[in-house]
Amino acid sequence: MERLIAALWSANAAAGYAALDRLLEMSRKSDAVYACMDEFFARLGCGSSYVRIRALALIVANAPWDAAGHIDRRIGEILSHLRDPRPVTARRLIQDLPALVRAKPALRGAVLEALRAGAAPFYAPSMRPLVAADMEKALRAIEAEA
């Protein structure tokens, strides 16, 4: 596990994403990766958008195992990345939010409110339609599961 976590934060994009894929797979099957949640949260402030994307993806993937409520207590911090400086980070999070709500239904209201508040105007005109479309798709998916 230590090697995977070290590779996850690697500047080598291929190594980082290979580690992410493996950790996501492990997260789907068991709570083995959940022990690293504090580290994932610590990486949300990293200057690298790639690191933030990986941390957010693993936080969401481990939501089913979050009986301790780490995600519930820090949902504001997670949702702040809907206005991440890099639209690619926001888009990945937006796409993952329906899975977060499935795993943590109590967060549905906070997630819907954040999505409805929108983030598209925050981004350059070329990215706004993409972010807005992602948000609309996530909203529809979450509302359909009610």
Side-chain angles (χ1 to χ4, degrees):
M1 178 75 73
E2 287 180 28
R3 265 190 254 134
L4 278 174
I5 296 296
L8 181 66
W9 313 129
S10 172
N12 178 321
Y17 277 101
L20 175 62
D21 286 342
R22 179 69 182 120
L23 290 164
L24 288 171
E25 179 184 325
M26 291 170 65
S27 297
R28 283 188 284 277
K29 296 176 182 177
S30 78
D31 66 350
V33 179
Y34 181 75
C36 301
M37 286 291 273
D38 287 337
E39 184 169 351
F40 302 152
F41 276 107
R43 298 294 178 147
L44 292 181
C46 182
S48 167
S49 62
Y50 300 113
V51 169
R52 292 191 307 274
I53 287 169
R54 294 172 201 160
L56 286 163
L58 285 163
I59 289 168
V60 171
N62 282 278
W65 315 113
D66 186 35
H70 292 296
I71 292 171
D72 304 62
R73 286 189 300 278
R74 299 181 79 174
I75 190 63
E77 182 180 358
I78 294 165
L79 294 174
S80 73
H81 290 277
L82 293 175
R83 292 177 181 242
D84 193 272
R86 300 287 303 198
V88 67
T89 305
R91 292 190 71 206
R92 172 65 189 257
L93 174 60
I94 292 164
Q95 293 163 11
D96 286 346
L97 287 176
L100 177 64
V101 171
R102 274 191 300 280
K104 307 279 283 176
L107 298 178
R108 183 178 188 273
V111 171
L112 287 173
E113 182 180 329
L115 285 169
R116 288 181 181 130
F122 181 77
Y123 295 109
S126 62
M127 291 304 298
R128 287 179 192 159
L130 298 171
V131 174
D134 290 338
M135 292 181 111
E136 184 58 36
K137 185 176 179 180
L139 275 167
R140 281 194 313 268
I142 293 167
E143 289 170 341
E145 292 182 20

